[in-house]
């Protein structure tokens, strides 16, 4: 669709949006607005396309709380601009640094997670059908180069997708220089984020040191890359469609996905791996590596034993069942309701059986405890639990689970024994050493009746 009344840059944005079905006529679009060059250009272009596409435009600003007063100032700038142009705005903030420490991950990844969560929440609050972000050709080039540095396949080489769910990126064919010139020609202000020049971030070093060299070698580097990425994305989409055809031969058995093993064994390897990735996504697992996928594909080989199995991240199980490949997710056991132990006896706690005996002679079975402050309680772990194993230092129970490599999915189902004075023992780890006594009268064992081996506290 050509419009004589809009700027050539807006026309290119419109053409790209229509080619990829980014801006349905009459939709409400939420603009992710930081106040920088890219997002201010995005907002202005969306406003220019408002009449041709009958759009409703609103905006959302997220404060990462990483730059003190400067972050607050950016939000105030955005709020004033939107108010003066009658654009509905939603502001939010998040402690990105604190969340990154808690999650043990980088600031960039944590900021992205919190920002996109806020954008989704804002889209719902403002009844927006799509969320537009200001990623442009330079961002796409940086993303492809980062993927190449880390190692990637076809999906990584495709760069930033124009559309993912309700997220759209209508500026991908445009360069930052074009966006800056567009704002300058209209006298539209913006704010500068000093962190964009921080050389500690790999993306910033690529932007400042690598991309200028590539553009000096070939001034048409970014436009050519943008065009090539569209071709790669089309080829990727074709392969995805072929893989989806393989997936349609799968069936559901309760929560499990079952597929004839030969479906993948006879398929070209790239298609088989792509189909496996799609099947795992149906189970809600998105983070399997190429090594995991290759191991699962090996289960489909004709010579594979009929009961071979693999345990994968995220409580995913893959197993060969004669002629079928079975993929399933084992749900983590639910925390068990507390059980009161009024005195010696035999007590059942989920799959566990506790025996508490009172005797003076050591029969060699179980751990020997000193005085107990009844009633005892068997329960799941709780915040603040600490344990000192015999001959070892005191640690938080969570730290013991991590150090002993007890899967996260099992931790809530392992009973903890306490009395009114505190913790006595933790299943899978052992007794709390300060409560043991060679002269004590109580002996205790704990057995998992669903396994053949006995587990003592």
């Amino acid at each position: 669709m050509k419009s004589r009344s809009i700027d050539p840059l807006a026309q290119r944005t419109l053409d790209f949006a229509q080619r990829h079905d980014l801006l349905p006529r009459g939709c409400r679009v939420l603009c992710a607005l930081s106040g920088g060059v890219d997002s201010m250009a995005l907002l202005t272009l969306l406003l220019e396309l408002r009449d041709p596409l009958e759009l409703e435009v609103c905006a959302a600003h997220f404060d990462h709380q990483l730059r003190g007063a400067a972050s607050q100032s950016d939000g105030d700038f955005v709020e004033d601009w939107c108010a003066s142009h009658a654009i509905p705005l939603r502001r939010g903030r998040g402690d990105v640094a604190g969340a990154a420490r808690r999650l043990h991950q980088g600031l960039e990844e944590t900021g992205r997670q919190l920002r996109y969560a806020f954008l989704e929440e804002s889209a719902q609050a403002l009844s927006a059908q799509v969320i537009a972000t200001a990623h442009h050709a330079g961002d796409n080039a940086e993303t492809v180069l980062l993927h190449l540095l880390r190692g990637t396949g076809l999906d990584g080489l495709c760069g930033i997708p124009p559309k993912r769910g309700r997220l759209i990126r209508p500026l991908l064919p445009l360069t930052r220089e074009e966006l800056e010139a567009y704002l300058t020609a209209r006298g539209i202000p913006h704010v500068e984020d000093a962190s964009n020049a921080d050389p500690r971030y790999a993306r910033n070093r690529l932007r400042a040191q690598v991309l200028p060299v590539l553009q000096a070698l070939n001034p048409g580097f970014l436009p050519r890359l943008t065009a090539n990425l569209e071709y790669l994305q089309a080829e990727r989409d074709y392969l995805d469609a072929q893989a989806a055809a393989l997936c349609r031969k799968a069936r559901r058995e309760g929560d499990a996905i079952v597929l004839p093993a030969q479906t993948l064994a006879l398929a070209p390897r790239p298609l088989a791996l792509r189909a496996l990735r799609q099947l795992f996504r149906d189970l809600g697992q998105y983070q399997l590596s190429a090594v995991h996928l290759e191991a699962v594909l090996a289960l489909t080989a004709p010579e594979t034993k009929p009961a071979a199995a693999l345990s994968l991240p995220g409580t995913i199980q893959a197993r060969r069942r004669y002629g079928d490949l079975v993929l399933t997710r084992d749900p983590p056991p639910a925390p068990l309701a507390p059980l009161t132990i009024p005195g010696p006896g035999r007590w059942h706690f989920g799959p566990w059986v506790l025996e508490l005996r009172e005797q003076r002679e050591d029969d060699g079975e179980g751990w020997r405890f000193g005085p107990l402050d009844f009633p005892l309680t068997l329960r799941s772990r709780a915040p603040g639990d600490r344990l000192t194993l015999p001959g070892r230092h005191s640690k938080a129970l969570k730290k013991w689970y991590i150090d002993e490599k007890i899967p996260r999915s099992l931790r809530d189902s392992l009973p903890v024994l306490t009395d009114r004075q505190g913790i006595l023992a933790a299943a899978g780890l052992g007794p709390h050493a300060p409560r043991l006594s060679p002269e004590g009268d109580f002996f205790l064992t704990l057995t998992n009746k669903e396994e053949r081996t006995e587990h003592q506290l």
Side-chain angles (χ1 to χ4, degrees), residues 405-432:
K405 297 181 172 56
I406 294 175
R408 183 191 300 269
S409 60
L410 299 180
R411 296 172 193 171
D412 284 333
S413 66
L414 293 175
V416 175
L417 181 67
T418 67
D419 67 3
R420 287 187 290 194
Q421 296 181 36
I423 195 167
L424 293 168
L429 295 171
H432 188 47

Side-chain angles (χ1 to χ4, degrees), residues 353-398:
V353 179
L354 179 144
E355 285 193 60
L356 181 64
R357 307 184 307 283
E358 187 175 10
Q359 60 191 61
R360 295 194 176 276
E361 296 299 324
D362 189 346
D363 62 6
E365 293 185 7
W367 294 98
R368 190 167 186 167
F369 285 87
L372 299 177
D373 192 352
F374 288 98
L376 311 186
T377 301
L378 269 175
R379 58 167 173 79
S380 293
R381 60 176 175 158
D385 283 343
R386 292 190 69 84
L387 181 71
T388 304
L389 293 178
R392 303 177 74 175
H393 296 296
S394 174
K395 296 182 192 176
L397 195 56
K398 178 180 178 180

Side-chain angles (χ1 to χ4, degrees), residues 152 232 236 340:
T152 189
L232 286 175
R236 186 267 320 276
T340 299

